Amino acid sequence: MLDKFIFNIFCYVVDNYGDAGVCLRLGNDLIQKGYRVRIFCSDLKVLNTIINANDTIEKYSFLELKSFNFNKYDIIINGFSYNFSEDIAVKLKQNHNLIINLEYLSAEKWVESCHKLPSPYLGLNCYYFFPGFNQNTGGVLIEKEFKAKFYPKKPKTDARDITLFSYANIKVLDLLKLLSKSKKHNNILVFEGLALNNINKLLKINLKANQSYRFDNITLYASKMVSQKEYDNLLLASDLNLVRGEDSIIRAILCGRPFLWQIYEQQDDIHIIKLNNFFDRFIDIFSSDSDFINKIRALFISYNNRSNFLTTLTNYDDIENEFFKLSVKMQQHLLSLGSLSDNLLTFIKEKL
Ligand code: TRH
């Protein structure tokens, strides 16, 4: 039924890579499902940093939006409720185009009551669509290709492979101290940009991409940013992933491996409320694991610089096995929600 339709993703990049990351991932997943997809991006440089070598998505800049002629077979996926101008709205109104406001990921309860509601923006044919962590939301993006690459993993006995993608974060130092007490050697891949700058500042070193630095039982390997698929593969191959925004955290969960989330900071500590809601949603599902989930919650809160819990832990080794088991449960739960792209396509078919 959707064969003749073209998906147009409006991707307004506020900051960092997550906005482009989510839009690119959704676009590629729709292409895999046989649809034609165009992406209009406000920052093609950001998009091009993470785009994969074989991606066939059609790319346009935001400037091109103004002169673009949409027809009735265009569906608009408006990434994160971008306020596009009235002249664009007039064109979309003429064709009665379906517009989906794809929202930010949040585990807050209110999301469930707003998911799929009409959005009154400029009188357009527009609906909210919320990713999320239970059946009352759109779920998260799960590409078939990603699922096929998954393999179960147990922690290795002698070494631990870790990826580090963070913002400025003083608590990375506490984490390194904790890892240095481990019986295992820690190989940490640090990505260029905010994560590497942070490490350099904390350790007073000047590590550059393709260089390494060893101290205690830790070796840091600095890396340039890689394509999104390469990044996903690195997460899959690791024993612990230190992630940050909404796209990398979902990948980390889907890998079924332990992870720590440095959540994107918002005013008035809203991000800490979101972080707590995230754990609440998992306690809703795995109530018998609530003690351990709360321990991991405390770890995350501390990693986000709201407590000193990290310094009270004697050894990461002590929690690693249980953390692996919990991570697999979280992964299985997300998989059970079905892919956001399928949930979205079902919704679109209802609305056309
Ligand atoms: O880049 P981010 O910090 O983006 C953030 C969040 O999305 C946040 O929710 C949003 O509000 C804010 O930006 C404006 O983190 P995130 O979401 O994890 O996105 C990173 C993307 O970059 C993700 O798609 C993975 C990708 N990536 C690569 O492709 N290659 C790399 O080498 C790395 C480290 C990441």
Side-chain angles (χ1 to χ4, degrees):
M1 174 207 185
L2 286 172
D3 290 0
K4 34 184 196 277
F5 284 87
I6 300 179
F7 285 83
N8 299 272
I9 304 179
F10 293 1
C11 170
Y12 182 73
V13 176
V14 177
D15 202 0
N16 304 312
Y17 297 93
D19 308 299
V22 170
C23 291
L24 177 66
R25 202 179 282 287
L26 172 63
N28 279 336
D29 203 26
L30 290 170
I31 290 171
Q32 283 306 310
K33 293 188 166 141
Y35 299 103
R36 186 173 162 198
V37 182
R38 295 193 278 244
I39 189 164
F40 294 86
C41 186
S42 66
D43 194 334
L44 283 173
K45 194 168 163 235
V46 164
L47 181 65
N48 286 331
T49 305
I50 60 172
I51 206 157
N52 312 292
N54 301 326
D55 283 349
T56 54
I57 198 158
E58 298 168 48
K59 290 182 289 177
Y60 296 89
S61 79
F62 251 28
L63 290 176
E64 290 166 271
L65 256 183
K66 269 185 179 297
S67 53
F68 219 84
N69 283 319
F70 294 103
N71 67 41
K72 62 179 182 171
Y73 294 119
D74 283 302
I75 293 170
I76 312 297
I77 309 288
N78 187 19
F80 319 111
S81 289
Y82 162 62
N83 287 331
F84 46 79
S85 61
E86 276 198 43
D87 46 341
I88 297 169
V90 167
K91 289 193 219 171
L92 298 175
K93 214 170 185 173
Q94 271 165 8
N95 300 317
H96 202 64
N97 293 100
L98 178 62
I99 302 163
I100 303 290
N101 273 345
L102 178 67
E103 294 296 328
Y104 284 110
L105 175 76
S106 170
E108 291 164 291
K109 266 282 176 200
W110 65 265
V111 158
E112 298 171 30
S113 53
C114 295
H115 178 54
K116 295 184 178 176
L117 282 189
S119 150
Y121 187 60
L122 297 172
L124 291 159
N125 180 24
C126 189
Y127 294 86
Y128 293 112
F129 199 88
F130 281 86
F133 296 95
N134 64 26
Q135 293 289 2
N136 303 327
T137 68
V140 300
L141 279 165
I142 308 166
E143 303 98 319
K144 215 169 155 193
E145 188 190 346
F146 183 84
K147 236 167 110 177
K149 280 187 202 158
F150 173 75
Y151 56 97
K153 198 171 196 269
K154 281 201 181 125
K156 290 193 285 283
T157 49
D158 55 339
R160 178 181 294 121
D161 295 326
I162 301 172
T163 64
L164 171 55
F165 183 45
S166 72
Y167 308 111
N169 184 355
I170 195 165
K171 294 295 183 168
V172 168
L173 205 52
D174 288 344
L175 183 68
L176 291 178
K177 280 186 195 147
L178 178 66
L179 291 171
S180 72
K181 296 184 213 160
S182 166
K183 287 199 198 79
K184 303 181 185 183
H185 190 85
N186 297 282
N187 298 305
I188 309 183
L189 188 68
V190 190
F191 291 97
E192 206 174 43
L194 299 178
L196 184 57
N197 296 347
N198 183 55
I199 278 279
N200 277 334
K201 195 170 161 200
L202 294 176
L203 299 178
K204 299 186 178 59
I205 55 176
N206 189 20
L207 196 63
K208 294 195 164 63
N210 304 321
Q211 295 177 346
S212 62
Y213 175 72
R214 185 172 175 158
F215 61 101
D216 301 333
N217 59 344
I218 294 177
T219 309
L220 301 172
Y221 298 90
S223 166
K224 286 204 168 301
M225 282 190 64
V226 295
S227 73
Q228 197 175 52
K229 282 191 181 142
E230 284 172 89
Y231 178 63
D232 292 355
N233 290 342
L234 288 167
L235 295 183
L236 270 167
S238 298
D239 304 287
L240 172 64
N241 290 306
L242 309 171
V243 288
R244 60 182 210 195
E246 68 176 81
D247 192 64
S248 54
I249 187 236
I250 292 302
R251 287 308 103 189
I253 302 175
L254 289 174
C255 286
R257 313 270 189 266
F259 64 97
L260 288 185
W261 180 13
Q262 186 185 3
I263 187 167
Y264 185 77
E265 204 165 316
Q266 288 180 274
Q267 263 182 346
D268 304 324
D269 267 5
I270 289 173
H271 60 296
I272 300 298
I273 297 173
K274 288 185 172 171
L275 198 53
N276 273 313
N277 276 283
F278 169 78
F279 285 102
D280 293 344
R281 292 297 76 75
F282 280 99
I283 287 180
D284 290 345
I285 304 150
F286 303 118
S287 52
S288 58
D289 293 309
S290 64
D291 287 350
F292 189 68
I293 295 180
N294 280 328
K295 192 166 191 176
I296 298 301
R297 182 203 302 259
L299 188 63
F300 277 43
I301 296 285
S302 182
Y303 185 62
N304 283 276
N305 205 10
R306 290 297 179 279
S307 83
N308 287 326
F309 182 75
L310 259 168
T311 55
T312 67
L313 286 173
T314 41
N315 203 321
Y316 178 74
D317 300 0
D318 298 341
I319 58 168
E320 190 169 35
N321 282 331
E322 207 172 343
F323 202 176
F324 256 86
K325 283 184 198 145
L326 175 67
S327 305
V328 172
K329 284 188 180 176
M330 291 168 96
Q331 172 206 41
Q332 292 302 315
H333 170 68
L334 284 199
L335 292 176
S336 76
L337 302 177
S339 179
L340 181 139
S341 59
D342 289 330
N343 299 333
L344 180 65
L345 288 168
T346 306
F347 180 64
I348 288 173
K349 282 175 196 157
E350 280 167 24
K351 291 294 158 198
L352 284 175

